[in-house]
Amino acid sequence: MGALALLWPSLLLPLLTVLFGQPPGTLAQTQVCSVKETVFTVKENTVPGPLVNISVPDGLHVTLGPSSTPYAFRIEGKELFLNVTPDYEENSLLQAEVECKRGDAVVAQLMVFVAVEDINDNAPKFSFAFEEFNVSEDTKVNTIVIPETQLKATDADKNDILVYTLQEVTPNASKFFSLESVNYPALKLDQTLDYLKNQNMTFMLLARDTWEENVEPSHTATATLVLHVLPADLRTPWFLPCSFTDGYVCIQAQYSAVVPTGHKLPSPLIMSPGPIYAVDGDQAINQPIMYSILAGNTDGTFIINTHDGNLTMAKSIPSPMKFTLLIRADQKDMARYSVTQAIVEARSVTGNPLQFSQSLYYGTVVLGSEAGTAVKDKTFPSEILRIQAQYPGFPDLNSAVTYRVTNSSEFMMNKDIILTAVPMEEARTIRVEVEASNTVTKDTATTVVEIQVSERELPSTGAGEQGDGQRFSTVDMAVLGGVLGALLLLALICLVILVHKHYRHRLACCSGKASEPQPSGYDNLTFLPDHKAKWSPTPNRKPEPSPKLAQPPLRPPSPMSSSPTPPSSTPPSPQLKASGSPKTVQAGDSPSAVRSILTKERRPEGEGGYKAVWFGKDIGAEADVVVLNEPTADVDSASASGSEGSDDDDPDQKKSFRFGADADNTYI
């Protein structure tokens, strides 16, 4: 554009010669008035000012003629001035007609031309600053989504060539869209769209009037583009739950159910992993779904609800069999559909009776409660007590169970919750019988609920049933644990006294000799914390002292030690060790080598087993104290050997002392 402006003077001079027949200067000289130059080149935006002096003889004067560019020039005295700031885009050539006059008569005419040289003084402009466009999700790759005519910018500098750049505002948006070229701002699609992943994408469109960014002068313009991805019907219905493999395909669920033979269930089947349910895979479109059974419905046994997919029984099934139903889900517009399986197995109820989870429940209600108050769980008083009877393996039958109180008018059932029917005005304990009936099979089951009407709400202890069903609070457990700990400490003191009394001469003679370490694998778990010791159940028989003992019988422990009690909460006592070199019982040793002289202590119920204390048959023998944890001898061999060497021991008692690897009792 600048080169063309520079050629104006050389092109203009021949043109003027043709028009006037001779060079302009010659014409001016012959007609008396003259100027040194008649063609000038100025850059646009040049500040107005004097242009050229006019030579005017005496008696003559000059004025601007009618063919002059309006307002572009003025004459002051004998000097021609440029009167406006030149603008190439408005007028690229200015002309001044100078008339040389004597009086009012024109003696001569001079033409002065000003060629305006173009410079880059205008920035490009977009027709919009912010624009939104919609693009369908199923648009094909390489499609022009916005034409060039809607995105191009304009530049007042007529010779400028604009360069376009597309910058992403939304991360990774440039993977999907690009410009056709740097000089052609049509927007095209480069990658398949996914409505579920990208619903809106924003770009900044830049236009520059120079090829390079760092040149001067250089101007830019910007506009914001927002592209909205519109959903398309690309996905089939999805049965839920399902696992996604990509945004279009979902590995859908297969459903299953178990129904009883010989009965028609009145309610929809309880399916696993959930009810039959499908949704339009195109969530933004969300077409309603219609359900149907394609195949597998032998004898029309099942009916599916067209609108919600619930599967019900049309008739009972006489014998055990399996149905593999093909379930179809159609979009309401019938454009797309999916198919899945629903496997229904008919089984006999025989051997699976209706039963309560507990034969005895414990509830509580606060004294003074009004009628209609729900009975709370005694174990967890903050929770409502629920009484439920079920058929193992038949969830559909469980929904057909009803409940009623059979022996009391003071309570009533609301489904599986017990409510008071009258105000509770007396603190007492009431035993209520609850009957469960199945409306399909007509089976019944009963249970008992022990309801305590207390003056205040019981604290939640979390304690379970103990022994004969009695429940203990945390305080009761702590007190009982303290008593048992004291008794255990007393028993250990007595044991130390007895050992010292009968073996002090051996302890004295061996006081200078270090005791050998106890063999590994025979640690005394009797004194470990209760949660670390394991106990195998054995018959609850009290031991009898052996009549063959040479020493006086020991005093039996307190009767409390043999009663079923909760585990002690007291810290474990130090482990008792006998001095000297103990001899452990091996698999080949005779059981007559050991004899029970101390009572066995029954472990708390739920943990089972005994703690039994044993001493050697011969008090003077080298092996004084034997500590056994898990002897490796076989159970049967140990029991048989014991019967040979101990004719006065109770045979049943011997069976309780197991020496197999599965036994986990502790013996001293």
Side-chain angles (χ1 to χ4, degrees), residues 518 522-525 527-528 572-577 627:
Q518 188 174 349
Y522 294 93
D523 56 321
N524 193 345
L525 295 183
F527 302 103
L528 289 179
S573 303
Q575 181 174 338
L576 179 63
K577 295 184 179 180
V627 180

Side-chain angles (χ1 to χ4, degrees), residues 3-16 39-42 115:
L4 181 62
L6 295 175
L7 293 176
W8 266 111
S10 58
L11 296 175
L12 189 62
L13 185 60
L15 178 61
L16 296 176
V39 178
F40 299 89
T41 301
V42 297

